[in-house]
Amino acid sequence: MAQNKSEFIWFNGELVPWDQATVHVTTHALHYGSSVFEGIRAYEVNGAAAIFRLGPHVDRLFNSCKIYRMDIGYSKKAIGQAIIETVKVNKLKGCYIRPLVFRGTGAIGVNPLPCSVETVIFAFEWAHYLGAEAIEQGADVGVSSWRRMAPDTFPSMAKVGGQYVNSQLMKMEALSHNYVEAIALNYEGFVSEGSGENIFLVRDGVIYTPPLGASILEGITRHSMITLAADLGYTVREAMIPREFLYLADEMFFTGTAAEVTPIRSVDGITIGSGKRGPITERLQSEFFGILAGEVQDRHGWLTPVA
Ligand code: PPE
């Protein structure tokens, strides 16, 4: 599928035409995965763009930089403004926004410290990540033979480019088995997350999700879902989840900026619950998408208007 474009990319503080936002082949991040990034969505609310949870995304970007000792050279406020500006200047409404901070040129060699630190922000229209049908019907997924990294290998709280080679192995294996997505186990064999999503399960009316110690990204959609579930009176438990718990769940869904809230209807060819989107999943989706459509009150102040 061709990449949707927009007109301008914010590149180290300047707005550059999409096709001219290029880098040199000696860019450190190309060789060693030394980039950190965010994925943020904006939605059309009352005819204008509104960015979902801008503050937490900017915070996480800065946290990723901190872990990898990258000096971004801008304040959080400046990056937040630049994100808003990028949506505005491209006249986008519903869109996906990708801020990326990477080690640039200066020296080949593992040591990243001599290299420049570059920041780009671009935005484009991106449809439902796992297919529009999956949002209603549910996705067919499989447990990956690739595991998520142990906590003392790659820090899962950092959203760093290099980590996504693990996700790519998971994703390609899943696709080769005709699944739309993979679920990884962690180094101990407990359920971790998808290649680009957190996971939730429902059993006997209780909602479960793996804790940070299961080598997951601390997802912002995950946090939003835990908050909404509590608002609606559900019990949410962060717990280590054995693989077979997946098969015995009544309902299951992925959360992520790209994936939003996508139900899962089978794992490893085993039907989950009724094999359709479950009632609690549907209730949470309608609350989540309701807020994003401006139909349910934004009671937590999650939307930042672009205008
Ligand atoms: N785990 C992983 C590994 C992950 O990459 C994401 C986001 C999540 C969980 C969910 O986090 P959050 O978006 O804060 O709820 N994955 C991003 C990249 C997807 C891609 O293909 O690129 C995203 O959804 O933007």
mmCIF file with all atom_site columns, all heavy atoms in Angstrom, residues 39 60 96 98 126 129 148 159 164 193-198 217 219-222 255-258, ligand 1:
data_model
loop_
_atom_site.group_PDB
_atom_site.id
_atom_site.type_symbol
_atom_site.label_atom_id
_atom_site.label_alt_id
_atom_site.label_comp_id
_atom_site.label_asym_id
_atom_site.label_entity_id
_atom_site.label_seq_id
_atom_site.pdbx_PDB_ins_code
_atom_site.Cartn_x
_atom_site.Cartn_y
_atom_site.Cartn_z
_atom_site.occupancy
_atom_site.B_iso_or_equiv
_atom_site.pdbx_formal_charge
_atom_site.auth_seq_id
_atom_site.auth_comp_id
_atom_site.auth_asym_id
_atom_site.auth_atom_id
_atom_site.pdbx_PDB_model_num
ATOM   1   N N   . GLY A 1 39  ? 3.602  7.607   18.222 1.00 0.00 ? 39  GLY A N   1
ATOM   2   C CA  . GLY A 1 39  ? 2.477  7.536   17.286 1.00 0.00 ? 39  GLY A CA  1
ATOM   3   C C   . GLY A 1 39  ? 1.318  8.182   18.009 1.00 0.00 ? 39  GLY A C   1
ATOM   4   O O   . GLY A 1 39  ? 1.007  7.802   19.134 1.00 0.00 ? 39  GLY A O   1
ATOM   5   N N   . ARG A 1 60  ? 6.170  10.774  26.965 1.00 0.00 ? 60  ARG A N   1
ATOM   6   C CA  . ARG A 1 60  ? 6.805  9.477   26.683 1.00 0.00 ? 60  ARG A CA  1
ATOM   7   C C   . ARG A 1 60  ? 7.964  9.644   25.703 1.00 0.00 ? 60  ARG A C   1
ATOM   8   O O   . ARG A 1 60  ? 8.989  8.960   25.821 1.00 0.00 ? 60  ARG A O   1
ATOM   9   C CB  . ARG A 1 60  ? 5.779  8.474   26.166 1.00 0.00 ? 60  ARG A CB  1
ATOM   10  C CG  . ARG A 1 60  ? 6.325  7.044   26.133 1.00 0.00 ? 60  ARG A CG  1
ATOM   11  C CD  . ARG A 1 60  ? 5.261  6.012   25.822 1.00 0.00 ? 60  ARG A CD  1
ATOM   12  N NE  . ARG A 1 60  ? 4.703  6.208   24.496 1.00 0.00 ? 60  ARG A NE  1
ATOM   13  C CZ  . ARG A 1 60  ? 3.678  5.513   24.015 1.00 0.00 ? 60  ARG A CZ  1
ATOM   14  N NH1 . ARG A 1 60  ? 3.078  4.598   24.761 1.00 0.00 ? 60  ARG A NH1 1
ATOM   15  N NH2 . ARG A 1 60  ? 3.231  5.744   22.797 1.00 0.00 ? 60  ARG A NH2 1
ATOM   16  N N   . TYR A 1 96  ? -2.757 10.470  11.624 1.00 0.00 ? 96  TYR A N   1
ATOM   17  C CA  . TYR A 1 96  ? -1.774 9.824   12.491 1.00 0.00 ? 96  TYR A CA  1
ATOM   18  C C   . TYR A 1 96  ? -0.525 10.696  12.463 1.00 0.00 ? 96  TYR A C   1
ATOM   19  O O   . TYR A 1 96  ? -0.090 11.123  11.389 1.00 0.00 ? 96  TYR A O   1
ATOM   20  C CB  . TYR A 1 96  ? -1.470 8.428   11.953 1.00 0.00 ? 96  TYR A CB  1
ATOM   21  C CG  . TYR A 1 96  ? -0.511 7.625   12.797 1.00 0.00 ? 96  TYR A CG  1
ATOM   22  C CD1 . TYR A 1 96  ? -0.967 6.855   13.869 1.00 0.00 ? 96  TYR A CD1 1
ATOM   23  C CD2 . TYR A 1 96  ? 0.854  7.603   12.514 1.00 0.00 ? 96  TYR A CD2 1
ATOM   24  C CE1 . TYR A 1 96  ? -0.086 6.107   14.639 1.00 0.00 ? 96  TYR A CE1 1
ATOM   25  C CE2 . TYR A 1 96  ? 1.735  6.852   13.277 1.00 0.00 ? 96  TYR A CE2 1
ATOM   26  C CZ  . TYR A 1 96  ? 1.259  6.099   14.340 1.00 0.00 ? 96  TYR A CZ  1
ATOM   27  O OH  . TYR A 1 96  ? 2.122  5.353   15.098 1.00 0.00 ? 96  TYR A OH  1
ATOM   28  N N   . ARG A 1 98  ? 3.507  11.267  13.559 1.00 0.00 ? 98  ARG A N   1
ATOM   29  C CA  . ARG A 1 98  ? 4.717  10.514  13.921 1.00 0.00 ? 98  ARG A CA  1
ATOM   30  C C   . ARG A 1 98  ? 5.869  11.465  14.255 1.00 0.00 ? 98  ARG A C   1
ATOM   31  O O   . ARG A 1 98  ? 6.581  11.922  13.358 1.00 0.00 ? 98  ARG A O   1
ATOM   32  C CB  . ARG A 1 98  ? 5.082  9.587   12.756 1.00 0.00 ? 98  ARG A CB  1
ATOM   33  C CG  . ARG A 1 98  ? 6.438  8.885   12.837 1.00 0.00 ? 98  ARG A CG  1
ATOM   34  C CD  . ARG A 1 98  ? 6.633  8.039   14.047 1.00 0.00 ? 98  ARG A CD  1
ATOM   35  N NE  . ARG A 1 98  ? 5.650  6.997   14.269 1.00 0.00 ? 98  ARG A NE  1
ATOM   36  C CZ  . ARG A 1 98  ? 5.639  5.786   13.719 1.00 0.00 ? 98  ARG A CZ  1
ATOM   37  N NH1 . ARG A 1 98  ? 6.570  5.432   12.872 1.00 0.00 ? 98  ARG A NH1 1
ATOM   38  N NH2 . ARG A 1 98  ? 4.721  4.898   14.031 1.00 0.00 ? 98  ARG A NH2 1
ATOM   39  N N   . TRP A 1 126 ? -4.212 7.737   8.171  1.00 0.00 ? 126 TRP A N   1
ATOM   40  C CA  . TRP A 1 126 ? -3.958 6.303   8.330  1.00 0.00 ? 126 TRP A CA  1
ATOM   41  C C   . TRP A 1 126 ? -5.252 5.638   8.811  1.00 0.00 ? 126 TRP A C   1
ATOM   42  O O   . TRP A 1 126 ? -5.771 5.971   9.872  1.00 0.00 ? 126 TRP A O   1
ATOM   43  C CB  . TRP A 1 126 ? -2.821 6.068   9.353  1.00 0.00 ? 126 TRP A CB  1
ATOM   44  C CG  . TRP A 1 126 ? -2.071 4.781   9.143  1.00 0.00 ? 126 TRP A CG  1
ATOM   45  C CD1 . TRP A 1 126 ? -2.212 3.907   8.101  1.00 0.00 ? 126 TRP A CD1 1
ATOM   46  C CD2 . TRP A 1 126 ? -1.064 4.216   9.991  1.00 0.00 ? 126 TRP A CD2 1
ATOM   47  N NE1 . TRP A 1 126 ? -1.330 2.849   8.251  1.00 0.00 ? 126 TRP A NE1 1
ATOM   48  C CE2 . TRP A 1 126 ? -0.625 3.013   9.399  1.00 0.00 ? 126 TRP A CE2 1
ATOM   49  C CE3 . TRP A 1 126 ? -0.485 4.605   11.204 1.00 0.00 ? 126 TRP A CE3 1
ATOM   50  C CZ2 . TRP A 1 126 ? 0.363  2.194   9.970  1.00 0.00 ? 126 TRP A CZ2 1
ATOM   51  C CZ3 . TRP A 1 126 ? 0.499  3.793   11.765 1.00 0.00 ? 126 TRP A CZ3 1
ATOM   52  C CH2 . TRP A 1 126 ? 0.918  2.607   11.149 1.00 0.00 ? 126 TRP A CH2 1
ATOM   53  N N   . TYR A 1 129 ? -5.757 0.161   11.581 1.00 0.00 ? 129 TYR A N   1
ATOM   54  C CA  . TYR A 1 129 ? -4.471 -0.563  11.496 1.00 0.00 ? 129 TYR A CA  1
ATOM   55  C C   . TYR A 1 129 ? -4.650 -2.033  11.133 1.00 0.00 ? 129 TYR A C   1
ATOM   56  O O   . TYR A 1 129 ? -3.910 -2.575  10.320 1.00 0.00 ? 129 TYR A O   1
ATOM   57  C CB  . TYR A 1 129 ? -3.832 -0.444  12.878 1.00 0.00 ? 129 TYR A CB  1
ATOM   58  C CG  . TYR A 1 129 ? -2.391 -0.830  13.035 1.00 0.00 ? 129 TYR A CG  1
ATOM   59  C CD1 . TYR A 1 129 ? -1.395 -0.240  12.271 1.00 0.00 ? 129 TYR A CD1 1
ATOM   60  C CD2 . TYR A 1 129 ? -2.018 -1.741  14.024 1.00 0.00 ? 129 TYR A CD2 1
ATOM   61  C CE1 . TYR A 1 129 ? -0.056 -0.554  12.499 1.00 0.00 ? 129 TYR A CE1 1
ATOM   62  C CE2 . TYR A 1 129 ? -0.683 -2.048  14.251 1.00 0.00 ? 129 TYR A CE2 1
ATOM   63  C CZ  . TYR A 1 129 ? 0.293  -1.459  13.474 1.00 0.00 ? 129 TYR A CZ  1
ATOM   64  O OH  . TYR A 1 129 ? 1.606  -1.764  13.704 1.00 0.00 ? 129 TYR A OH  1
ATOM   65  N N   . ARG A 1 148 ? 9.264  -11.484 23.456 1.00 0.00 ? 148 ARG A N   1
ATOM   66  C CA  . ARG A 1 148 ? 9.626  -10.120 23.791 1.00 0.00 ? 148 ARG A CA  1
ATOM   67  C C   . ARG A 1 148 ? 10.916 -10.141 24.615 1.00 0.00 ? 148 ARG A C   1
ATOM   68  O O   . ARG A 1 148 ? 11.182 -11.110 25.344 1.00 0.00 ? 148 ARG A O   1
ATOM   69  C CB  . ARG A 1 148 ? 8.481  -9.528  24.615 1.00 0.00 ? 148 ARG A CB  1
ATOM   70  C CG  . ARG A 1 148 ? 8.172  -8.107  24.304 1.00 0.00 ? 148 ARG A CG  1
ATOM   71  C CD  . ARG A 1 148 ? 7.485  -7.914  22.974 1.00 0.00 ? 148 ARG A CD  1
ATOM   72  N NE  . ARG A 1 148 ? 7.361  -6.494  22.695 1.00 0.00 ? 148 ARG A NE  1
ATOM   73  C CZ  . ARG A 1 148 ? 7.685  -5.936  21.548 1.00 0.00 ? 148 ARG A CZ  1
ATOM   74  N NH1 . ARG A 1 148 ? 8.146  -6.655  20.552 1.00 0.00 ? 148 ARG A NH1 1
ATOM   75  N NH2 . ARG A 1 148 ? 7.530  -4.657  21.370 1.00 0.00 ? 148 ARG A NH2 1
ATOM   76  N N   . LYS A 1 159 ? 10.256 3.801   23.649 1.00 0.00 ? 159 LYS A N   1
ATOM   77  C CA  . LYS A 1 159 ? 9.725  3.461   22.326 1.00 0.00 ? 159 LYS A CA  1
ATOM   78  C C   . LYS A 1 159 ? 10.839 3.771   21.329 1.00 0.00 ? 159 LYS A C   1
ATOM   79  O O   . LYS A 1 159 ? 10.923 4.869   20.782 1.00 0.00 ? 159 LYS A O   1
ATOM   80  C CB  . LYS A 1 159 ? 8.464  4.299   22.061 1.00 0.00 ? 159 LYS A CB  1
ATOM   81  C CG  . LYS A 1 159 ? 7.598  3.786   20.938 1.00 0.00 ? 159 LYS A CG  1
ATOM   82  C CD  . LYS A 1 159 ? 6.229  4.443   20.995 1.00 0.00 ? 159 LYS A CD  1
ATOM   83  C CE  . LYS A 1 159 ? 5.426  4.211   19.733 1.00 0.00 ? 159 LYS A CE  1
ATOM   84  N NZ  . LYS A 1 159 ? 5.103  2.822   19.442 1.00 0.00 ? 159 LYS A NZ  1
ATOM   85  N N   . TYR A 1 164 ? 11.926 -2.396  17.335 1.00 0.00 ? 164 TYR A N   1
ATOM   86  C CA  . TYR A 1 164 ? 10.901 -2.843  16.390 1.00 0.00 ? 164 TYR A CA  1
ATOM   87  C C   . TYR A 1 164 ? 11.401 -3.879  15.385 1.00 0.00 ? 164 TYR A C   1
ATOM   88  O O   . TYR A 1 164 ? 10.614 -4.380  14.589 1.00 0.00 ? 164 TYR A O   1
ATOM   89  C CB  . TYR A 1 164 ? 10.227 -1.625  15.729 1.00 0.00 ? 164 TYR A CB  1
ATOM   90  C CG  . TYR A 1 164 ? 9.267  -1.002  16.718 1.00 0.00 ? 164 TYR A CG  1
ATOM   91  C CD1 . TYR A 1 164 ? 9.731  -0.147  17.706 1.00 0.00 ? 164 TYR A CD1 1
ATOM   92  C CD2 . TYR A 1 164 ? 7.922  -1.356  16.734 1.00 0.00 ? 164 TYR A CD2 1
ATOM   93  C CE1 . TYR A 1 164 ? 8.871  0.371   18.664 1.00 0.00 ? 164 TYR A CE1 1
ATOM   94  C CE2 . TYR A 1 164 ? 7.062  -0.841  17.678 1.00 0.00 ? 164 TYR A CE2 1
ATOM   95  C CZ  . TYR A 1 164 ? 7.540  0.015   18.637 1.00 0.00 ? 164 TYR A CZ  1
ATOM   96  O OH  . TYR A 1 164 ? 6.695  0.517   19.603 1.00 0.00 ? 164 TYR A OH  1
ATOM   97  N N   . GLU A 1 193 ? 2.577  -8.663  24.701 1.00 0.00 ? 193 GLU A N   1
ATOM   98  C CA  . GLU A 1 193 ? 1.791  -7.709  23.899 1.00 0.00 ? 193 GLU A CA  1
ATOM   99  C C   . GLU A 1 193 ? 1.862  -8.086  22.437 1.00 0.00 ? 193 GLU A C   1
ATOM   100 O O   . GLU A 1 193 ? 2.539  -9.044  22.065 1.00 0.00 ? 193 GLU A O   1
ATOM   101 C CB  . GLU A 1 193 ? 2.304  -6.280  24.129 1.00 0.00 ? 193 GLU A CB  1
ATOM   102 C CG  . GLU A 1 193 ? 3.765  -6.096  23.721 1.00 0.00 ? 193 GLU A CG  1
ATOM   103 C CD  . GLU A 1 193 ? 4.297  -4.683  23.937 1.00 0.00 ? 193 GLU A CD  1
ATOM   104 O OE1 . GLU A 1 193 ? 3.514  -3.754  24.163 1.00 0.00 ? 193 GLU A OE1 1
ATOM   105 O OE2 . GLU A 1 193 ? 5.525  -4.524  23.849 1.00 0.00 ? 193 GLU A OE2 1
ATOM   106 N N   . GLY A 1 194 ? 1.169  -7.326  21.593 1.00 0.00 ? 194 GLY A N   1
ATOM   107 C CA  . GLY A 1 194 ? 1.241  -7.521  20.145 1.00 0.00 ? 194 GLY A CA  1
ATOM   108 C C   . GLY A 1 194 ? 2.480  -6.827  19.587 1.00 0.00 ? 194 GLY A C   1
ATOM   109 O O   . GLY A 1 194 ? 3.245  -6.202  20.328 1.00 0.00 ? 194 GLY A O   1
ATOM   110 N N   . SER A 1 195 ? 2.682  -6.922  18.272 1.00 0.00 ? 195 SER A N   1
ATOM   111 C CA  . SER A 1 195 ? 3.866  -6.288  17.682 1.00 0.00 ? 195 SER A CA  1
ATOM   112 C C   . SER A 1 195 ? 3.802  -4.767  17.810 1.00 0.00 ? 195 SER A C   1
ATOM   113 O O   . SER A 1 195 ? 4.832  -4.107  17.847 1.00 0.00 ? 195 SER A O   1
ATOM   114 C CB  . SER A 1 195 ? 4.028  -6.702  16.211 1.00 0.00 ? 195 SER A CB  1
ATOM   115 O OG  . SER A 1 195 ? 3.087  -6.047  15.396 1.00 0.00 ? 195 SER A OG  1
ATOM   116 N N   . GLY A 1 196 ? 2.584  -4.228  17.910 1.00 0.00 ? 196 GLY A N   1
ATOM   117 C CA  . GLY A 1 196 ? 2.421  -2.783  18.063 1.00 0.00 ? 196 GLY A CA  1
ATOM   118 C C   . GLY A 1 196 ? 1.177  -2.438  18.859 1.00 0.00 ? 196 GLY A C   1
ATOM   119 O O   . GLY A 1 196 ? 0.550  -1.402  18.631 1.00 0.00 ? 196 GLY A O   1
ATOM   120 N N   . GLU A 1 197 ? 0.794  -3.320  19.797 1.00 0.00 ? 197 GLU A N   1
ATOM   121 C CA  . GLU A 1 197 ? -0.428 -3.102  20.586 1.00 0.00 ? 197 GLU A CA  1
ATOM   122 C C   . GLU A 1 197 ? -0.266 -3.719  21.972 1.00 0.00 ? 197 GLU A C   1
ATOM   123 O O   . GLU A 1 197 ? 0.434  -4.712  22.141 1.00 0.00 ? 197 GLU A O   1
ATOM   124 C CB  . GLU A 1 197 ? -1.659 -3.789  19.953 1.00 0.00 ? 197 GLU A CB  1
ATOM   125 C CG  . GLU A 1 197 ? -1.925 -3.512  18.489 1.00 0.00 ? 197 GLU A CG  1
ATOM   126 C CD  . GLU A 1 197 ? -1.205 -4.497  17.571 1.00 0.00 ? 197 GLU A CD  1
ATOM   127 O OE1 . GLU A 1 197 ? -0.407 -5.329  18.065 1.00 0.00 ? 197 GLU A OE1 1
ATOM   128 O OE2 . GLU A 1 197 ? -1.452 -4.417  16.364 1.00 0.00 ? 197 GLU A OE2 1
ATOM   129 N N   . ASN A 1 198 ? -0.963 -3.169  22.934 1.00 0.00 ? 198 ASN A N   1
ATOM   130 C CA  . ASN A 1 198 ? -1.142 -3.847  24.225 1.00 0.00 ? 198 ASN A CA  1
ATOM   131 C C   . ASN A 1 198 ? -2.358 -4.764  24.127 1.00 0.00 ? 198 ASN A C   1
ATOM   132 O O   . ASN A 1 198 ? -3.166 -4.649  23.208 1.00 0.00 ? 198 ASN A O   1
ATOM   133 C CB  . ASN A 1 198 ? -1.353 -2.825  25.350 1.00 0.00 ? 198 ASN A CB  1
ATOM   134 C CG  . ASN A 1 198 ? -0.110 -2.019  25.623 1.00 0.00 ? 198 ASN A CG  1
ATOM   135 O OD1 . ASN A 1 198 ? -0.078 -0.812  25.418 1.00 0.00 ? 198 ASN A OD1 1
ATOM   136 N ND2 . ASN A 1 198 ? 0.936  -2.671  26.093 1.00 0.00 ? 198 ASN A ND2 1
ATOM   137 N N   . LEU A 1 217 ? 5.185  -2.116  26.255 1.00 0.00 ? 217 LEU A N   1
ATOM   138 C CA  . LEU A 1 217 ? 5.247  -0.657  26.188 1.00 0.00 ? 217 LEU A CA  1
ATOM   139 C C   . LEU A 1 217 ? 4.129  -0.141  27.098 1.00 0.00 ? 217 LEU A C   1
ATOM   140 O O   . LEU A 1 217 ? 3.032  -0.714  27.127 1.00 0.00 ? 217 LEU A O   1
ATOM   141 C CB  . LEU A 1 217 ? 5.025  -0.169  24.751 1.00 0.00 ? 217 LEU A CB  1
ATOM   142 C CG  . LEU A 1 217 ? 5.088  1.355   24.582 1.00 0.00 ? 217 LEU A CG  1
ATOM   143 C CD1 . LEU A 1 217 ? 6.531  1.850   24.686 1.00 0.00 ? 217 LEU A CD1 1
ATOM   144 C CD2 . LEU A 1 217 ? 4.497  1.776   23.244 1.00 0.00 ? 217 LEU A CD2 1
ATOM   145 N N   . GLY A 1 219 ? 1.509  1.613   27.231 1.00 0.00 ? 219 GLY A N   1
ATOM   146 C CA  . GLY A 1 219 ? 0.648  2.202   26.200 1.00 0.00 ? 219 GLY A CA  1
ATOM   147 C C   . GLY A 1 219 ? -0.263 3.288   26.746 1.00 0.00 ? 219 GLY A C   1
ATOM   148 O O   . GLY A 1 219 ? -0.813 3.174   27.840 1.00 0.00 ? 219 GLY A O   1
ATOM   149 N N   . ILE A 1 220 ? -0.431 4.315   25.947 1.00 0.00 ? 220 ILE A N   1
ATOM   150 C CA  . ILE A 1 220 ? -1.302 5.423   26.339 1.00 0.00 ? 220 ILE A CA  1
ATOM   151 C C   . ILE A 1 220 ? -2.763 5.041   26.093 1.00 0.00 ? 220 ILE A C   1
ATOM   152 O O   . ILE A 1 220 ? -3.649 5.411   26.857 1.00 0.00 ? 220 ILE A O   1
ATOM   153 C CB  . ILE A 1 220 ? -0.851 6.705   25.613 1.00 0.00 ? 220 ILE A CB  1
ATOM   154 C CG1 . ILE A 1 220 ? 0.509  7.116   26.215 1.00 0.00 ? 220 ILE A CG1 1
ATOM   155 C CG2 . ILE A 1 220 ? -1.878 7.823   25.735 1.00 0.00 ? 220 ILE A CG2 1
ATOM   156 C CD1 . ILE A 1 220 ? 1.312  8.075   25.394 1.00 0.00 ? 220 ILE A CD1 1
ATOM   157 N N   . THR A 1 221 ? -3.012 4.255   25.067 1.00 0.00 ? 221 THR A N   1
ATOM   158 C CA  . THR A 1 221 ? -4.377 3.735   24.862 1.00 0.00 ? 221 THR A CA  1
ATOM   159 C C   . THR A 1 221 ? -4.709 2.745   25.985 1.00 0.00 ? 221 THR A C   1
ATOM   160 O O   . THR A 1 221 ? -5.846 2.694   26.467 1.00 0.00 ? 221 THR A O   1
ATOM   161 C CB  . THR A 1 221 ? -4.495 3.037   23.496 1.00 0.00 ? 221 THR A CB  1
ATOM   162 O OG1 . THR A 1 221 ? -3.754 3.776   22.531 1.00 0.00 ? 221 THR A OG1 1
ATOM   163 C CG2 . THR A 1 221 ? -5.948 2.940   23.056 1.00 0.00 ? 221 THR A CG2 1
ATOM   164 N N   . ARG A 1 222 ? -3.719 1.968   26.394 1.00 0.00 ? 222 ARG A N   1
ATOM   165 C CA  . ARG A 1 222 ? -3.882 1.039   27.528 1.00 0.00 ? 222 ARG A CA  1
ATOM   166 C C   . ARG A 1 222 ? -4.310 1.813   28.774 1.00 0.00 ? 222 ARG A C   1
ATOM   167 O O   . ARG A 1 222 ? -5.280 1.450   29.434 1.00 0.00 ? 222 ARG A O   1
ATOM   168 C CB  . ARG A 1 222 ? -2.551 0.314   27.774 1.00 0.00 ? 222 ARG A CB  1
ATOM   169 C CG  . ARG A 1 222 ? -2.487 -0.584  28.998 1.00 0.00 ? 222 ARG A CG  1
ATOM   170 C CD  . ARG A 1 222 ? -1.069 -1.177  29.102 1.00 0.00 ? 222 ARG A CD  1
ATOM   171 N NE  . ARG A 1 222 ? -0.910 -2.060  30.249 1.00 0.00 ? 222 ARG A NE  1
ATOM   172 C CZ  . ARG A 1 222 ? -0.612 -1.647  31.480 1.00 0.00 ? 222 ARG A CZ  1
ATOM   173 N NH1 . ARG A 1 222 ? -0.433 -0.353  31.736 1.00 0.00 ? 222 ARG A NH1 1
ATOM   174 N NH2 . ARG A 1 222 ? -0.490 -2.527  32.457 1.00 0.00 ? 222 ARG A NH2 1
ATOM   175 N N   . THR A 1 255 ? -5.139 -2.810  22.196 1.00 0.00 ? 255 THR A N   1
ATOM   176 C CA  . THR A 1 255 ? -5.234 -1.351  22.229 1.00 0.00 ? 255 THR A CA  1
ATOM   177 C C   . THR A 1 255 ? -3.933 -0.765  21.698 1.00 0.00 ? 255 THR A C   1
ATOM   178 O O   . THR A 1 255 ? -2.860 -1.319  21.918 1.00 0.00 ? 255 THR A O   1
ATOM   179 C CB  . THR A 1 255 ? -5.449 -0.797  23.652 1.00 0.00 ? 255 THR A CB  1
ATOM   180 O OG1 . THR A 1 255 ? -4.310 -1.117  24.462 1.00 0.00 ? 255 THR A OG1 1
ATOM   181 C CG2 . THR A 1 255 ? -6.703 -1.343  24.297 1.00 0.00 ? 255 THR A CG2 1
ATOM   182 N N   . GLY A 1 256 ? -4.037 0.343   21.023 1.00 0.00 ? 256 GLY A N   1
ATOM   183 C CA  . GLY A 1 256 ? -2.854 1.052   20.523 1.00 0.00 ? 256 GLY A CA  1
ATOM   184 C C   . GLY A 1 256 ? -3.316 2.280   19.766 1.00 0.00 ? 256 GLY A C   1
ATOM   185 O O   . GLY A 1 256 ? -4.476 2.357   19.368 1.00 0.00 ? 256 GLY A O   1
ATOM   186 N N   . THR A 1 257 ? -2.403 3.203   19.574 1.00 0.00 ? 257 THR A N   1
ATOM   187 C CA  . THR A 1 257 ? -2.767 4.408   18.831 1.00 0.00 ? 257 THR A CA  1
ATOM   188 C C   . THR A 1 257 ? -3.195 4.033   17.419 1.00 0.00 ? 257 THR A C   1
ATOM   189 O O   . THR A 1 257 ? -4.250 4.456   16.941 1.00 0.00 ? 257 THR A O   1
ATOM   190 C CB  . THR A 1 257 ? -1.575 5.378   18.794 1.00 0.00 ? 257 THR A CB  1
ATOM   191 O OG1 . THR A 1 257 ? -1.263 5.715   20.141 1.00 0.00 ? 257 THR A OG1 1
ATOM   192 C CG2 . THR A 1 257 ? -1.904 6.623   17.997 1.00 0.00 ? 257 THR A CG2 1
ATOM   193 N N   . ALA A 1 258 ? -2.373 3.236   16.755 1.00 0.00 ? 258 ALA A N   1
ATOM   194 C CA  . ALA A 1 258 ? -2.720 2.823   15.391 1.00 0.00 ? 258 ALA A CA  1
ATOM   195 C C   . ALA A 1 258 ? -3.916 1.868   15.422 1.00 0.00 ? 258 ALA A C   1
ATOM   196 O O   . ALA A 1 258 ? -4.879 2.038   14.677 1.00 0.00 ? 258 ALA A O   1
ATOM   197 C CB  . ALA A 1 258 ? -1.517 2.183   14.717 1.00 0.00 ? 258 ALA A CB  1
HETATM 198 N N1  . PPE B 2 .   ? 3.034  -1.936  22.350 1.00 0.00 ? 1   PPE B N1  1
HETATM 199 C C1  . PPE B 2 .   ? 3.829  -1.686  21.288 1.00 0.00 ? 1   PPE B C1  1
HETATM 200 C C2  . PPE B 2 .   ? 4.978  -2.581  21.051 1.00 0.00 ? 1   PPE B C2  1
HETATM 201 C C3  . PPE B 2 .   ? 3.546  -0.608  20.465 1.00 0.00 ? 1   PPE B C3  1
HETATM 202 O O1  . PPE B 2 .   ? 4.356  -0.353  19.437 1.00 0.00 ? 1   PPE B O1  1
HETATM 203 C C4  . PPE B 2 .   ? 2.426  0.214   20.720 1.00 0.00 ? 1   PPE B C4  1
HETATM 204 C C5  . PPE B 2 .   ? 2.107  1.368   19.830 1.00 0.00 ? 1   PPE B C5  1
HETATM 205 C C6  . PPE B 2 .   ? 1.614  -0.090  21.838 1.00 0.00 ? 1   PPE B C6  1
HETATM 206 C C7  . PPE B 2 .   ? 1.959  -1.163  22.631 1.00 0.00 ? 1   PPE B C7  1
HETATM 207 C C8  . PPE B 2 .   ? 0.440  0.759   22.210 1.00 0.00 ? 1   PPE B C8  1
HETATM 208 O O2  . PPE B 2 .   ? 0.850  2.024   22.718 1.00 0.00 ? 1   PPE B O2  1
HETATM 209 P P1  . PPE B 2 .   ? -0.046 3.332   22.570 1.00 0.00 ? 1   PPE B P1  1
HETATM 210 O O3  . PPE B 2 .   ? -0.060 3.701   21.137 1.00 0.00 ? 1   PPE B O3  1
HETATM 211 O O4  . PPE B 2 .   ? 0.622  4.318   23.432 1.00 0.00 ? 1   PPE B O4  1
HETATM 212 O O5  . PPE B 2 .   ? -1.408 2.973   23.066 1.00 0.00 ? 1   PPE B O5  1
HETATM 213 N N2  . PPE B 2 .   ? 2.453  1.186   18.478 1.00 0.00 ? 1   PPE B N2  1
HETATM 214 C C9  . PPE B 2 .   ? 2.570  2.321   17.593 1.00 0.00 ? 1   PPE B C9  1
HETATM 215 C C10 . PPE B 2 .   ? 3.269  1.960   16.298 1.00 0.00 ? 1   PPE B C10 1
HETATM 216 C C11 . PPE B 2 .   ? 2.525  1.135   15.336 1.00 0.00 ? 1   PPE B C11 1
HETATM 217 C C12 . PPE B 2 .   ? 3.264  1.062   14.010 1.00 0.00 ? 1   PPE B C12 1
HETATM 218 O O6  . PPE B 2 .   ? 3.013  0.117   13.236 1.00 0.00 ? 1   PPE B O6  1
HETATM 219 O O7  . PPE B 2 .   ? 4.055  1.950   13.710 1.00 0.00 ? 1   PPE B O7  1
HETATM 220 C C13 . PPE B 2 .   ? 1.231  3.011   17.400 1.00 0.00 ? 1   PPE B C13 1
HETATM 221 O O8  . PPE B 2 .   ? 0.183  2.394   17.589 1.00 0.00 ? 1   PPE B O8  1
HETATM 222 O O9  . PPE B 2 .   ? 1.268  4.191   17.050 1.00 0.00 ? 1   PPE B O9  1
#
